[in-house]
Amino acid sequence: MDRLDNTVRPYAWGSTTAIPGLLGTEPTGEPQAEMWMGAHPGAPSHTRRGTLVEVIDADPERELGAAAVAKFGPRLPFLLKILAAGAPLSLQVHPDLAQAQEGYAEEERRGIPVDAPDRNYKDANHKPELICALTEFDGLCGFRAPAEAADLLDGLGVDSLKPYVDLLRAHPEDAALREVLTAILTADPEDMADTVTGATAACARLGGPYTPYADMAHHYPGDPGVIAAMLLNHVRLQPGEALFLGAGIPHAYLSGLGVEIMANSDNVLRCGLTPKHVDVPELLRVVRFEASDPGVLRPEASPDGEEVYETPIDEFRLSRYVLPGGTARDLTLPTPQILLCTAGSVRVGEHGLLSGRSVFVPAGEKTEASGEGTLFRATVIV
């Protein structure tokens, strides 16, 4: 079992206070957006034996277990994060596995450098993800019903939005959503900037359900993503609630602190709220144009106190224990684990964990947890 020393990524949208507050450290004044726990080559966790990538590469079957290696290959299939949004993240969507493999192969064939700003596919893997709120957490997830989106846009009273309102009310659901998103993302940039300016003023004046979009426009003035975001469901999670984001589902995180877990991939197609590359044709190929309920998840409790967030994929499984003190819990599994304390004080094996601290547990290693606090467990399903 190894205590992890984890990298904090300073993305511009990060909160300056949330991760330091979790860790009990002084803020630096700079944004601290994500703390990565795992073996992603971009920022692997460090252990007393080297980086977690080096540890796993040295003996994959010992660290991951034979069943996990047989199913996922000789790598940790998931990446665990603490995510702290102080400003909206880009509006984005992730490909499914077949799309990722096809897109990656095509960009490799075309010789596009993997770090090129116009590269869509950094790897050949899909990127389903789950976000679990530690504080109140705002986000966007999936398309609203077209009629609801039409009402929201119409309520702004902005003349240049009327064609979108009419499209949303006149077409079948999938065609309406596709046509409107396409129109927003391919509109003349100056005309769209004027539309966003008018919509922003109306959002600020109206408040209520329009408040999140006024905040987006404050951070991304003139960005077409402000209008595209109004096509999506706005969700406010309470601590302990979660969202699962599958392939093709447009989404964005707006504010709050949470535990995020995903397949070990970096494939993102952006729709807006970003200065980065937006590949509209590829985006439209990947997006699923169907209205859906965001599907807020609450954990299912088992008799031993484990609370599991059920998802339809196998690369990761997230659960938590709210430990009351007293009797130790047996956490031994035949699969690799990362255990993360997010509140209180927990002992895992020989390691005492305070808030924000984590350990990597190799497959099959005898593991007990005790203390009083909240412990998240990340593992895989084999």
Side-chain angles (χ1 to χ4, degrees):
M1 185 185 306
D2 293 286
R3 181 186 291 271
L4 298 180
D5 180 15
N6 303 305
T7 297
V8 175
R9 309 306 293 263
Y11 305 135
W13 51 260
S15 167
T16 59
T17 58
I19 288 178
L22 183 75
L23 296 173
T25 58
E26 285 296 318
T28 64
E30 298 299 318
Q32 297 186 34
E34 296 180 347
M35 184 172 75
W36 288 21
M37 291 157 280
H40 191 287
S45 298
H46 289 259
T47 78
R48 58 185 169 79
R49 296 186 284 159
T51 70
L52 196 52
V53 171
E54 293 167 340
V55 168
I56 291 170
D57 284 350
D59 195 343
E61 289 206 359
R62 177 181 180 276
E63 303 297 335
L64 304 177
V69 171
K71 186 167 185 175
F72 303 110
R75 60 185 182 86
L76 190 66
F78 63 83
L79 176 63
L80 185 67
K81 299 179 180 179
I82 294 289
L83 183 145
L89 282 67
S90 61
L91 192 61
Q92 60 189 258
V93 68
H94 305 305
D96 63 25
L97 187 57
Q99 290 165 339
Q101 291 171 340
E102 181 183 344
Y104 181 78
E106 172 61 18
E107 291 186 328
E108 287 289 280
R109 186 191 66 78
R110 291 162 55 196
I112 302 174
V114 74
D115 58 353
D118 60 343
R119 174 103 185 202
N120 293 316
Y121 296 96
K122 310 295 186 184
D123 52 67
N125 199 15
H126 62 165
K127 192 187 177 187
E129 60 190 40
L130 178 79
I131 184 77
C132 177
L134 295 177
T135 65
E136 195 171 78
F137 194 98
D138 274 24
L140 305 170
C141 179
F143 286 110
R144 301 173 185 266
E148 293 178 11
D151 289 345
L152 191 69
L153 291 173
D154 199 25
L156 293 171
V158 176
D159 288 345
S160 53
L161 291 175
K162 295 295 186 184
Y164 304 148
V165 172
D166 293 342
L167 283 170
L168 288 166
R169 288 179 173 160
H171 287 274
E173 181 177 281
D174 57 346
L177 294 169
R178 177 181 289 274
E179 287 190 42
V180 172
L181 184 62
T182 302
I184 291 169
L185 296 180
T186 57
D188 177 82
E190 290 188 6
D191 292 343
M192 178 52 66
D194 289 342
T195 296
V196 175
T197 299
T200 300
C203 287
R205 182 180 71 254
L206 293 168
Y210 293 100
T211 300
Y213 310 102
D215 183 61
M216 289 176 216
H218 170 74
H219 291 284
Y220 302 99
D223 193 303
V226 175
I227 306 302
M230 295 188 189
L231 303 178
L232 307 186
N233 298 297
H234 175 244
V235 185
R236 177 163 293 167
L237 300 177
Q238 298 304 312
E241 294 180 335
L243 288 174
F244 174 71
L245 292 313
I249 304 299
H251 62 278
Y253 302 144
L254 305 181
S255 65
L257 181 69
V259 174
E260 186 182 34
I261 190 168
M262 62 192 62
N264 201 358
S265 171
D266 198 25
N267 285 326
V268 176
L269 290 156
R270 295 175 176 85
C271 316
L273 305 181
T274 179
K276 295 182 179 180
H277 177 62
V278 177
D279 184 336
V280 175
E282 187 64 14
L283 172 73
L284 296 176
R285 187 178 80 90
V286 168
V287 171
R288 293 183 181 177
F289 288 98
E290 54 189 37
S292 61
D293 185 279
V296 174
L297 297 177
R298 296 171 182 85
E300 298 288 335
S302 62
D304 69 350
E306 185 182 24
E307 300 176 340
V308 181
Y309 294 90
E310 298 287 354
T311 64
I313 52 95
D314 294 344
E315 282 92 338
F316 62 76
R317 176 183 183 271
L318 185 71
S319 62
R320 69 174 184 178
Y321 290 86
V322 180
L323 302 173
T327 306
R329 305 287 178 89
D330 182 4
L331 270 58
T332 307
L333 286 178
T335 50
Q337 306 180 64
I338 292 179
L339 302 174
L340 165 68
C341 178
T342 59
S345 175
V346 176
R347 176 159 290 278
V348 179
E350 64 183 17
H351 300 285
L353 302 182
L354 299 176
S355 179
R357 277 65 181 187
S358 56
V359 294
F360 172 75
V361 184
E365 183 166 317
K366 178 68 175 176
T367 309
E368 288 189 339
S370 60
E372 187 171 350
T374 301
L375 189 69
F376 279 84
R377 169 198 260 175
T379 187
V380 300
I381 298 174
V382 296

